[in-house]
Amino acid sequence: AKMENHTRISEFFLVGFKSHPGSQLLLSVLFSTMYIVTVVGNICMILIIRMDSSLHTPMYFFLENLSTLDICYSSVITPRAALAFLLGRRSISYNGCALQMFFFSLFGTTEAFFLAVMAYDRFTAVCNPLLYHVIMSRRRCVLMVLGSYLSGCINCTIQTGFTFSLSFCGRREINHFFCEVAAVIRASCSDTLVNELVMLAVCGSIIVGTALVVFISYGYIIITIIQMPSAESRHKAFSTCSSHMVTICLFFGTVFFMYAQPGAASSPNKSNTISVFYTVVIPMLNPFIYTLRNREVKGSLKKQLKR
C-alpha cells in the first residue's frame, strides 16, 4: 500500500501564505534575512563559548548545543521557504516532504527536551550549589544531550511513519509553507482520526512532560531565591535564570498552542503564522536573549572584541 501511494503521489504543493507577487518577494527577503541572522547569531554564540575558558561550564555546554540545534532547526525550514517565495515553486517531492517532516520533528522535539534539561541544570545550580559540579558532571551532561536527541528520534519516527502511511489522492495541496505534521494529515484522503489521536498523545505527553520538569524546577528555584538573605544574592541567582525563562515562555507557549490541545490538526488558518514564530523567529532570538540578558556572555563578548 505504501509503495502504491508513493508511486501515485510524486509531489505535494505547499500553498501556505498565498498572496500577490510583491508580498511573495517581501516574504522571501524577510525569511532570508531572519535565516542569516539566525545562523550568524548562533555561530557567534558558539564561538564566544568555545573561545572563553571561563564559559566551559555545564550551563554553557547546554547553551552551545542549543545554538547548534537552532541552526539545524531553522535550516530545515527557512531556506527552502525563502526560495519558494522567491521563485514561486511550491512543489515538494514525496520523499522531500517526508525528510523535512522527519528532521523538523527531530529538532523541534530535541529542543523541548534541551530546555527541560537546562531548567534542571539551573535548579541544581541554584538549589544545590555545593554539589553542582558533582551532579552535573561532564559525563551526565553528555548523556542528557544524547538522551534529548534519542527522544527526538523516537518522536519523529512515530510521527513521520504514521503520517506517511496515509493515502493521498486528488488535490495534493498542503496548507502550509513546509511539511508540518498536522498540515500533511489534513491533505490526506484517509480517515485521520487515529493519526490525530497519536499526534495529540505523543506531542501532548512530550510538551506536558518537559513543561512539568521546567515548572517544578523553577518552582524550587523561586522558593530558594526568595529565601536567600541578601538582595545581591537573589539578583545574581535570578540573573542566571532569566534568559532561560524568556526562551521557555516563547517556545512552550507557541508549541503548546499548536500541538497540545484537541483539534490542533483541524485548524489550518491558525497554524501558519504561529509556525513562523517557533520555527524561524525563536531560533533567531535565542542568541540575543542569552547575550543581552547574561553578564558573563556580554563580558566575554567585550573581551573578544577588544582582542
Side-chain angles (χ1 to χ4, degrees):
K2 284 185 181 181
M3 289 301 295
E4 280 184 12
N5 188 46
H6 178 78
T7 303
R8 183 170 66 252
I9 302 298
S10 60
E11 61 182 12
F12 296 100
F13 297 96
L14 302 170
V15 297
F17 295 126
K18 287 182 178 177
S19 57
H20 56 80
S23 297
Q24 299 287 51
L25 178 61
L26 180 61
L27 284 171
S28 178
V29 172
L30 183 62
F31 271 55
S32 299
T33 303
M34 288 192 292
Y35 179 66
I36 292 169
V37 173
T38 299
V39 173
V40 172
N42 281 288
I43 288 176
C44 287
M45 178 65 71
I46 294 168
L47 291 175
I48 289 169
I49 294 170
R50 291 195 175 183
M51 293 172 68
D52 192 337
S53 59
S54 67
L55 301 181
H56 294 175
T57 63
M59 174 183 173
Y60 293 104
F61 171 75
F62 292 128
L63 183 54
E64 180 183 349
N65 279 277
L66 179 65
S67 293
T68 303
L69 185 67
D70 278 339
I71 293 172
C72 297
Y73 188 35
S74 184
S75 296
V76 172
I77 307 297
T78 316
R80 197 191 184 287
L83 191 63
F85 289 132
L86 179 65
L87 302 178
R89 295 177 184 173
R90 300 300 187 86
S91 62
I92 183 170
S93 68
Y94 183 93
N95 290 333
C97 188
L99 280 172
Q100 189 180 59
M101 180 185 293
F102 180 89
F103 286 109
F104 161 72
S105 299
L106 169 63
F107 296 130
T109 305
T110 303
E111 180 141 351
F113 279 94
F114 264 21
L115 293 175
V117 165
M118 292 172 74
Y120 175 74
D121 171 72
R122 291 299 83 208
F123 157 75
T124 308
V126 174
C127 301
N128 297 289
L130 298 179
L131 296 175
Y132 176 66
H133 289 287
V134 175
I135 297 172
M136 301 303 295
S137 63
R138 180 72 176 183
R139 181 175 179 273
R140 180 167 293 181
C141 291
V142 171
L143 288 175
M144 286 180 171
V145 169
L146 293 177
S148 298
Y149 275 104
L150 178 61
S151 301
C153 283
I154 293 170
N155 178 53
C156 68
T157 301
I158 292 171
Q159 296 289 355
T160 307
F162 266 85
T163 301
F164 283 88
S165 66
L166 295 170
S167 297
F168 299 92
C169 47
R171 299 185 71 183
R172 297 159 290 168
E173 292 185 348
I174 297 173
N175 188 11
H176 220 305
F177 64 94
F178 69 98
C179 287
E180 188 261 346
V181 178
V184 177
I185 288 175
R186 288 194 298 267
S188 172
C189 55
S190 302
D191 182 2
T192 62
L193 178 61
V194 173
N195 291 74
E196 292 186 34
L197 291 175
V198 168
M199 187 183 78
L200 179 62
V202 176
C203 293
S205 62
I206 290 170
I207 295 166
V208 172
T210 52
L212 274 176
V213 173
V214 170
F215 293 148
I216 292 171
S217 297
Y218 274 100
Y220 280 107
I221 287 170
I222 291 169
I223 292 170
T224 303
I225 291 175
I226 291 172
Q227 293 175 345
M228 288 179 176
S230 67
E232 184 182 351
S233 59
R234 288 195 295 269
H235 176 74
K236 184 178 179 181
F238 181 76
S239 66
T240 64
C241 304
S242 59
S243 302
H244 186 240
M245 290 174 69
V246 172
T247 303
I248 283 169
C249 292
L250 291 173
F251 183 84
F252 280 101
T254 52
V255 171
F256 184 86
F257 188 73
M258 280 291 296
Y259 296 109
Q261 55 178 321
S266 58
S267 305
N269 294 327
K270 76 176 183 181
S271 61
N272 289 358
T273 304
I274 300 171
S275 296
V276 171
F277 197 75
Y278 71 83
T279 59
V280 182
V281 177
I282 291 178
M284 179 186 69
L285 291 179
N286 280 346
F288 296 100
I289 293 171
Y290 280 99
T291 302
L292 297 176
R293 299 187 63 86
N294 190 302
R295 287 184 186 177
E296 292 176 329
V297 174
K298 285 193 289 187
S300 178
L301 179 59
K302 289 177 181 177
K303 283 195 295 184
Q304 300 303 328
L305 290 175
K306 286 180 181 178
R307 289 181 184 178

PDB file of all heavy atoms in Angstrom, residues 134-166:
ATOM      1  N   VAL A 134      29.373  18.102  40.941  1.00  0.00           N
ATOM      2  CA  VAL A 134      29.306  16.647  41.120  1.00  0.00           C
ATOM      3  C   VAL A 134      28.097  16.085  40.375  1.00  0.00           C
ATOM      4  O   VAL A 134      28.199  15.091  39.644  1.00  0.00           O
ATOM      5  CB  VAL A 134      29.230  16.283  42.623  1.00  0.00           C
ATOM      6  CG1 VAL A 134      29.047  14.774  42.796  1.00  0.00           C
ATOM      7  CG2 VAL A 134      30.462  16.774  43.348  1.00  0.00           C
ATOM      8  N   ILE A 135      26.947  16.741  40.593  1.00  0.00           N
ATOM      9  CA  ILE A 135      25.713  16.273  39.931  1.00  0.00           C
ATOM     10  C   ILE A 135      25.790  16.475  38.419  1.00  0.00           C
ATOM     11  O   ILE A 135      25.484  15.568  37.646  1.00  0.00           O
ATOM     12  CB  ILE A 135      24.483  17.020  40.507  1.00  0.00           C
ATOM     13  CG1 ILE A 135      24.322  16.694  41.995  1.00  0.00           C
ATOM     14  CG2 ILE A 135      23.217  16.644  39.736  1.00  0.00           C
ATOM     15  CD1 ILE A 135      23.267  17.529  42.701  1.00  0.00           C
ATOM     16  N   MET A 136      26.199  17.668  37.988  1.00  0.00           N
ATOM     17  CA  MET A 136      26.256  17.984  36.553  1.00  0.00           C
ATOM     18  C   MET A 136      27.667  17.710  36.023  1.00  0.00           C
ATOM     19  O   MET A 136      28.356  18.598  35.519  1.00  0.00           O
ATOM     20  CB  MET A 136      25.857  19.446  36.331  1.00  0.00           C
ATOM     21  CG  MET A 136      24.467  19.796  36.822  1.00  0.00           C
ATOM     22  SD  MET A 136      23.143  18.783  36.109  1.00  0.00           S
ATOM     23  CE  MET A 136      23.253  19.269  34.396  1.00  0.00           C
ATOM     24  N   SER A 137      28.086  16.477  36.149  1.00  0.00           N
ATOM     25  CA  SER A 137      29.396  16.077  35.626  1.00  0.00           C
ATOM     26  C   SER A 137      29.373  16.109  34.103  1.00  0.00           C
ATOM     27  O   SER A 137      28.301  16.111  33.471  1.00  0.00           O
ATOM     28  CB  SER A 137      29.755  14.677  36.103  1.00  0.00           C
ATOM     29  OG  SER A 137      28.832  13.721  35.603  1.00  0.00           O
ATOM     30  N   ARG A 138      30.561  16.114  33.509  1.00  0.00           N
ATOM     31  CA  ARG A 138      30.654  16.143  32.044  1.00  0.00           C
ATOM     32  C   ARG A 138      29.938  14.941  31.429  1.00  0.00           C
ATOM     33  O   ARG A 138      29.221  15.072  30.441  1.00  0.00           O
ATOM     34  CB  ARG A 138      32.138  16.139  31.630  1.00  0.00           C
ATOM     35  CG  ARG A 138      32.364  16.172  30.125  1.00  0.00           C
ATOM     36  CD  ARG A 138      32.032  17.525  29.550  1.00  0.00           C
ATOM     37  NE  ARG A 138      32.325  17.595  28.129  1.00  0.00           N
ATOM     38  CZ  ARG A 138      32.184  18.693  27.404  1.00  0.00           C
ATOM     39  NH1 ARG A 138      31.752  19.803  27.966  1.00  0.00           N
ATOM     40  NH2 ARG A 138      32.470  18.694  26.111  1.00  0.00           N
ATOM     41  N   ARG A 139      30.127  13.784  32.028  1.00  0.00           N
ATOM     42  CA  ARG A 139      29.501  12.557  31.512  1.00  0.00           C
ATOM     43  C   ARG A 139      27.985  12.664  31.546  1.00  0.00           C
ATOM     44  O   ARG A 139      27.299  12.316  30.587  1.00  0.00           O
ATOM     45  CB  ARG A 139      29.973  11.356  32.334  1.00  0.00           C
ATOM     46  CG  ARG A 139      29.398  10.017  31.873  1.00  0.00           C
ATOM     47  CD  ARG A 139      30.008   8.867  32.655  1.00  0.00           C
ATOM     48  NE  ARG A 139      29.441   7.588  32.240  1.00  0.00           N
ATOM     49  CZ  ARG A 139      28.340   7.058  32.748  1.00  0.00           C
ATOM     50  NH1 ARG A 139      27.673   7.708  33.710  1.00  0.00           N
ATOM     51  NH2 ARG A 139      27.878   5.900  32.315  1.00  0.00           N
ATOM     52  N   ARG A 140      27.440  13.167  32.665  1.00  0.00           N
ATOM     53  CA  ARG A 140      25.985  13.289  32.776  1.00  0.00           C
ATOM     54  C   ARG A 140      25.445  14.316  31.789  1.00  0.00           C
ATOM     55  O   ARG A 140      24.366  14.115  31.206  1.00  0.00           O
ATOM     56  CB  ARG A 140      25.610  13.665  34.209  1.00  0.00           C
ATOM     57  CG  ARG A 140      24.108  13.815  34.416  1.00  0.00           C
ATOM     58  CD  ARG A 140      23.751  13.880  35.885  1.00  0.00           C
ATOM     59  NE  ARG A 140      24.015  12.606  36.548  1.00  0.00           N
ATOM     60  CZ  ARG A 140      23.762  12.377  37.843  1.00  0.00           C
ATOM     61  NH1 ARG A 140      23.239  13.344  38.595  1.00  0.00           N
ATOM     62  NH2 ARG A 140      24.025  11.216  38.385  1.00  0.00           N
ATOM     63  N   CYS A 141      26.159  15.396  31.589  1.00  0.00           N
ATOM     64  CA  CYS A 141      25.718  16.410  30.626  1.00  0.00           C
ATOM     65  C   CYS A 141      25.646  15.837  29.212  1.00  0.00           C
ATOM     66  O   CYS A 141      24.676  16.071  28.476  1.00  0.00           O
ATOM     67  CB  CYS A 141      26.662  17.614  30.658  1.00  0.00           C
ATOM     68  SG  CYS A 141      26.567  18.595  32.171  1.00  0.00           S
ATOM     69  N   VAL A 142      26.677  15.082  28.834  1.00  0.00           N
ATOM     70  CA  VAL A 142      26.696  14.457  27.504  1.00  0.00           C
ATOM     71  C   VAL A 142      25.544  13.470  27.361  1.00  0.00           C
ATOM     72  O   VAL A 142      24.863  13.423  26.326  1.00  0.00           O
ATOM     73  CB  VAL A 142      28.053  13.760  27.251  1.00  0.00           C
ATOM     74  CG1 VAL A 142      27.999  12.927  25.970  1.00  0.00           C
ATOM     75  CG2 VAL A 142      29.176  14.783  27.173  1.00  0.00           C
ATOM     76  N   LEU A 143      25.304  12.670  28.415  1.00  0.00           N
ATOM     77  CA  LEU A 143      24.200  11.704  28.378  1.00  0.00           C
ATOM     78  C   LEU A 143      22.854  12.407  28.255  1.00  0.00           C
ATOM     79  O   LEU A 143      21.955  11.927  27.557  1.00  0.00           O
ATOM     80  CB  LEU A 143      24.223  10.832  29.632  1.00  0.00           C
ATOM     81  CG  LEU A 143      25.345   9.786  29.718  1.00  0.00           C
ATOM     82  CD1 LEU A 143      25.310   9.076  31.060  1.00  0.00           C
ATOM     83  CD2 LEU A 143      25.232   8.772  28.570  1.00  0.00           C
ATOM     84  N   MET A 144      22.697  13.556  28.905  1.00  0.00           N
ATOM     85  CA  MET A 144      21.449  14.320  28.798  1.00  0.00           C
ATOM     86  C   MET A 144      21.227  14.829  27.380  1.00  0.00           C
ATOM     87  O   MET A 144      20.099  14.790  26.864  1.00  0.00           O
ATOM     88  CB  MET A 144      21.462  15.491  29.786  1.00  0.00           C
ATOM     89  CG  MET A 144      21.252  15.090  31.231  1.00  0.00           C
ATOM     90  SD  MET A 144      21.291  16.535  32.330  1.00  0.00           S
ATOM     91  CE  MET A 144      20.766  15.798  33.872  1.00  0.00           C
ATOM     92  N   VAL A 145      22.295  15.304  26.755  1.00  0.00           N
ATOM     93  CA  VAL A 145      22.190  15.778  25.370  1.00  0.00           C
ATOM     94  C   VAL A 145      21.845  14.620  24.440  1.00  0.00           C
ATOM     95  O   VAL A 145      20.936  14.726  23.595  1.00  0.00           O
ATOM     96  CB  VAL A 145      23.504  16.452  24.931  1.00  0.00           C
ATOM     97  CG1 VAL A 145      23.496  16.711  23.424  1.00  0.00           C
ATOM     98  CG2 VAL A 145      23.707  17.759  25.673  1.00  0.00           C
ATOM     99  N   LEU A 146      22.530  13.492  24.598  1.00  0.00           N
ATOM    100  CA  LEU A 146      22.254  12.318  23.761  1.00  0.00           C
ATOM    101  C   LEU A 146      20.839  11.797  24.002  1.00  0.00           C
ATOM    102  O   LEU A 146      20.151  11.388  23.056  1.00  0.00           O
ATOM    103  CB  LEU A 146      23.279  11.221  24.038  1.00  0.00           C
ATOM    104  CG  LEU A 146      24.721  11.517  23.616  1.00  0.00           C
ATOM    105  CD1 LEU A 146      25.642  10.370  24.015  1.00  0.00           C
ATOM    106  CD2 LEU A 146      24.812  11.762  22.113  1.00  0.00           C
ATOM    107  N   GLY A 147      20.401  11.821  25.266  1.00  0.00           N
ATOM    108  CA  GLY A 147      19.040  11.396  25.577  1.00  0.00           C
ATOM    109  C   GLY A 147      17.991  12.280  24.935  1.00  0.00           C
ATOM    110  O   GLY A 147      16.935  11.799  24.489  1.00  0.00           O
ATOM    111  N   SER A 148      18.279  13.572  24.853  1.00  0.00           N
ATOM    112  CA  SER A 148      17.353  14.512  24.200  1.00  0.00           C
ATOM    113  C   SER A 148      17.224  14.187  22.713  1.00  0.00           C
ATOM    114  O   SER A 148      16.113  14.174  22.157  1.00  0.00           O
ATOM    115  CB  SER A 148      17.847  15.947  24.385  1.00  0.00           C
ATOM    116  OG  SER A 148      17.878  16.305  25.740  1.00  0.00           O
ATOM    117  N   TYR A 149      18.365  13.924  22.068  1.00  0.00           N
ATOM    118  CA  TYR A 149      18.324  13.562  20.647  1.00  0.00           C
ATOM    119  C   TYR A 149      17.636  12.216  20.427  1.00  0.00           C
ATOM    120  O   TYR A 149      16.903  12.036  19.446  1.00  0.00           O
ATOM    121  CB  TYR A 149      19.740  13.531  20.071  1.00  0.00           C
ATOM    122  CG  TYR A 149      20.247  14.873  19.619  1.00  0.00           C
ATOM    123  CD1 TYR A 149      21.180  15.586  20.377  1.00  0.00           C
ATOM    124  CD2 TYR A 149      19.780  15.459  18.437  1.00  0.00           C
ATOM    125  CE1 TYR A 149      21.633  16.833  19.960  1.00  0.00           C
ATOM    126  CE2 TYR A 149      20.229  16.697  18.028  1.00  0.00           C
ATOM    127  CZ  TYR A 149      21.153  17.383  18.793  1.00  0.00           C
ATOM    128  OH  TYR A 149      21.599  18.616  18.385  1.00  0.00           O
ATOM    129  N   LEU A 150      17.860  11.268  21.325  1.00  0.00           N
ATOM    130  CA  LEU A 150      17.200   9.966  21.204  1.00  0.00           C
ATOM    131  C   LEU A 150      15.690  10.108  21.324  1.00  0.00           C
ATOM    132  O   LEU A 150      14.931   9.506  20.549  1.00  0.00           O
ATOM    133  CB  LEU A 150      17.724   9.015  22.290  1.00  0.00           C
ATOM    134  CG  LEU A 150      17.085   7.615  22.328  1.00  0.00           C
ATOM    135  CD1 LEU A 150      17.320   6.873  21.012  1.00  0.00           C
ATOM    136  CD2 LEU A 150      17.627   6.809  23.506  1.00  0.00           C
ATOM    137  N   SER A 151      15.240  10.923  22.257  1.00  0.00           N
ATOM    138  CA  SER A 151      13.802  11.181  22.404  1.00  0.00           C
ATOM    139  C   SER A 151      13.241  11.831  21.147  1.00  0.00           C
ATOM    140  O   SER A 151      12.140  11.497  20.697  1.00  0.00           O
ATOM    141  CB  SER A 151      13.558  12.093  23.611  1.00  0.00           C
ATOM    142  OG  SER A 151      14.054  11.515  24.788  1.00  0.00           O
ATOM    143  N   GLY A 152      14.012  12.755  20.566  1.00  0.00           N
ATOM    144  CA  GLY A 152      13.596  13.380  19.316  1.00  0.00           C
ATOM    145  C   GLY A 152      13.490  12.370  18.194  1.00  0.00           C
ATOM    146  O   GLY A 152      12.543  12.421  17.385  1.00  0.00           O
ATOM    147  N   CYS A 153      14.434  11.441  18.113  1.00  0.00           N
ATOM    148  CA  CYS A 153      14.411  10.397  17.074  1.00  0.00           C
ATOM    149  C   CYS A 153      13.177   9.518  17.201  1.00  0.00           C
ATOM    150  O   CYS A 153      12.543   9.159  16.200  1.00  0.00           O
ATOM    151  CB  CYS A 153      15.669   9.536  17.164  1.00  0.00           C
ATOM    152  SG  CYS A 153      17.146  10.301  16.480  1.00  0.00           S
ATOM    153  N   ILE A 154      12.838   9.145  18.427  1.00  0.00           N
ATOM    154  CA  ILE A 154      11.664   8.298  18.648  1.00  0.00           C
ATOM    155  C   ILE A 154      10.401   9.012  18.190  1.00  0.00           C
ATOM    156  O   ILE A 154       9.567   8.444  17.473  1.00  0.00           O
ATOM    157  CB  ILE A 154      11.556   7.902  20.137  1.00  0.00           C
ATOM    158  CG1 ILE A 154      12.720   6.990  20.525  1.00  0.00           C
ATOM    159  CG2 ILE A 154      10.219   7.209  20.417  1.00  0.00           C
ATOM    160  CD1 ILE A 154      12.835   6.734  22.011  1.00  0.00           C
ATOM    161  N   ASN A 155      10.252  10.288  18.584  1.00  0.00           N
ATOM    162  CA  ASN A 155       9.053  11.031  18.206  1.00  0.00           C
ATOM    163  C   ASN A 155       8.958  11.238  16.697  1.00  0.00           C
ATOM    164  O   ASN A 155       7.899  11.023  16.100  1.00  0.00           O
ATOM    165  CB  ASN A 155       9.021  12.387  18.902  1.00  0.00           C
ATOM    166  CG  ASN A 155       7.810  13.209  18.508  1.00  0.00           C
ATOM    167  OD1 ASN A 155       6.678  12.755  18.590  1.00  0.00           O
ATOM    168  ND2 ASN A 155       8.042  14.431  18.056  1.00  0.00           N
ATOM    169  N   CYS A 156      10.062  11.644  16.060  1.00  0.00           N
ATOM    170  CA  CYS A 156       9.986  11.936  14.623  1.00  0.00           C
ATOM    171  C   CYS A 156       9.751  10.661  13.817  1.00  0.00           C
ATOM    172  O   CYS A 156       9.093  10.695  12.763  1.00  0.00           O
ATOM    173  CB  CYS A 156      11.241  12.668  14.137  1.00  0.00           C
ATOM    174  SG  CYS A 156      12.747  11.706  14.156  1.00  0.00           S
ATOM    175  N   THR A 157      10.239   9.517  14.288  1.00  0.00           N
ATOM    176  CA  THR A 157       9.984   8.249  13.601  1.00  0.00           C
ATOM    177  C   THR A 157       8.502   7.886  13.680  1.00  0.00           C
ATOM    178  O   THR A 157       7.894   7.474  12.690  1.00  0.00           O
ATOM    179  CB  THR A 157      10.833   7.122  14.224  1.00  0.00           C
ATOM    180  OG1 THR A 157      12.214   7.461  14.111  1.00  0.00           O
ATOM    181  CG2 THR A 157      10.587   5.804  13.512  1.00  0.00           C
ATOM    182  N   ILE A 158       7.915   8.064  14.876  1.00  0.00           N
ATOM    183  CA  ILE A 158       6.485   7.771  15.045  1.00  0.00           C
ATOM    184  C   ILE A 158       5.641   8.707  14.186  1.00  0.00           C
ATOM    185  O   ILE A 158       4.756   8.270  13.433  1.00  0.00           O
ATOM    186  CB  ILE A 158       6.087   7.905  16.534  1.00  0.00           C
ATOM    187  CG1 ILE A 158       6.749   6.807  17.360  1.00  0.00           C
ATOM    188  CG2 ILE A 158       4.567   7.842  16.691  1.00  0.00           C
ATOM    189  CD1 ILE A 158       6.579   6.992  18.859  1.00  0.00           C
ATOM    190  N   GLN A 159       5.914  10.018  14.276  1.00  0.00           N
ATOM    191  CA  GLN A 159       5.098  10.994  13.558  1.00  0.00           C
ATOM    192  C   GLN A 159       5.201  10.822  12.045  1.00  0.00           C
ATOM    193  O   GLN A 159       4.188  10.816  11.334  1.00  0.00           O
ATOM    194  CB  GLN A 159       5.527  12.420  13.949  1.00  0.00           C
ATOM    195  CG  GLN A 159       5.294  12.776  15.401  1.00  0.00           C
ATOM    196  CD  GLN A 159       3.816  12.958  15.737  1.00  0.00           C
ATOM    197  OE1 GLN A 159       2.957  12.912  14.869  1.00  0.00           O
ATOM    198  NE2 GLN A 159       3.516  13.162  16.996  1.00  0.00           N
ATOM    199  N   THR A 160       6.427  10.682  11.547  1.00  0.00           N
ATOM    200  CA  THR A 160       6.611  10.547  10.098  1.00  0.00           C
ATOM    201  C   THR A 160       6.049   9.224   9.596  1.00  0.00           C
ATOM    202  O   THR A 160       5.397   9.168   8.546  1.00  0.00           O
ATOM    203  CB  THR A 160       8.106  10.661   9.735  1.00  0.00           C
ATOM    204  OG1 THR A 160       8.638  11.856  10.302  1.00  0.00           O
ATOM    205  CG2 THR A 160       8.295  10.701   8.228  1.00  0.00           C
ATOM    206  N   GLY A 161       6.290   8.145  10.345  1.00  0.00           N
ATOM    207  CA  GLY A 161       5.781   6.836   9.942  1.00  0.00           C
ATOM    208  C   GLY A 161       4.270   6.794   9.860  1.00  0.00           C
ATOM    209  O   GLY A 161       3.698   6.315   8.873  1.00  0.00           O
ATOM    210  N   PHE A 162       3.600   7.313  10.900  1.00  0.00           N
ATOM    211  CA  PHE A 162       2.137   7.309  10.916  1.00  0.00           C
ATOM    212  C   PHE A 162       1.575   8.212   9.822  1.00  0.00           C
ATOM    213  O   PHE A 162       0.596   7.867   9.147  1.00  0.00           O
ATOM    214  CB  PHE A 162       1.622   7.764  12.288  1.00  0.00           C
ATOM    215  CG  PHE A 162       1.348   6.641  13.237  1.00  0.00           C
ATOM    216  CD1 PHE A 162       2.371   6.108  13.997  1.00  0.00           C
ATOM    217  CD2 PHE A 162       0.081   6.112  13.369  1.00  0.00           C
ATOM    218  CE1 PHE A 162       2.141   5.060  14.883  1.00  0.00           C
ATOM    219  CE2 PHE A 162      -0.169   5.064  14.249  1.00  0.00           C
ATOM    220  CZ  PHE A 162       0.862   4.535  15.006  1.00  0.00           C
ATOM    221  N   THR A 163       2.179   9.379   9.629  1.00  0.00           N
ATOM    222  CA  THR A 163       1.647  10.339   8.655  1.00  0.00           C
ATOM    223  C   THR A 163       1.767   9.812   7.236  1.00  0.00           C
ATOM    224  O   THR A 163       0.820   9.897   6.437  1.00  0.00           O
ATOM    225  CB  THR A 163       2.382  11.685   8.773  1.00  0.00           C
ATOM    226  OG1 THR A 163       2.229  12.187  10.095  1.00  0.00           O
ATOM    227  CG2 THR A 163       1.817  12.700   7.791  1.00  0.00           C
ATOM    228  N   PHE A 164       2.911   9.239   6.880  1.00  0.00           N
ATOM    229  CA  PHE A 164       3.117   8.794   5.503  1.00  0.00           C
ATOM    230  C   PHE A 164       2.649   7.359   5.252  1.00  0.00           C
ATOM    231  O   PHE A 164       2.912   6.796   4.197  1.00  0.00           O
ATOM    232  CB  PHE A 164       4.581   8.992   5.101  1.00  0.00           C
ATOM    233  CG  PHE A 164       4.896  10.418   4.794  1.00  0.00           C
ATOM    234  CD1 PHE A 164       5.301  11.294   5.790  1.00  0.00           C
ATOM    235  CD2 PHE A 164       4.727  10.924   3.507  1.00  0.00           C
ATOM    236  CE1 PHE A 164       5.555  12.622   5.522  1.00  0.00           C
ATOM    237  CE2 PHE A 164       4.984  12.254   3.228  1.00  0.00           C
ATOM    238  CZ  PHE A 164       5.396  13.108   4.230  1.00  0.00           C
ATOM    239  N   SER A 165       1.923   6.800   6.226  1.00  0.00           N
ATOM    240  CA  SER A 165       1.195   5.561   5.975  1.00  0.00           C
ATOM    241  C   SER A 165      -0.210   5.861   5.461  1.00  0.00           C
ATOM    242  O   SER A 165      -0.946   4.965   5.054  1.00  0.00           O
ATOM    243  CB  SER A 165       1.102   4.730   7.262  1.00  0.00           C
ATOM    244  OG  SER A 165       0.311   5.398   8.235  1.00  0.00           O
ATOM    245  N   LEU A 166      -0.591   7.153   5.477  1.00  0.00           N
ATOM    246  CA  LEU A 166      -1.894   7.576   4.960  1.00  0.00           C
ATOM    247  C   LEU A 166      -1.894   7.571   3.431  1.00  0.00           C
ATOM    248  O   LEU A 166      -0.842   7.568   2.790  1.00  0.00           O
ATOM    249  CB  LEU A 166      -2.220   8.989   5.455  1.00  0.00           C
ATOM    250  CG  LEU A 166      -2.415   9.179   6.962  1.00  0.00           C
ATOM    251  CD1 LEU A 166      -2.493  10.665   7.296  1.00  0.00           C
ATOM    252  CD2 LEU A 166      -3.669   8.462   7.443  1.00  0.00           C
TER     253      LEU A 166
END
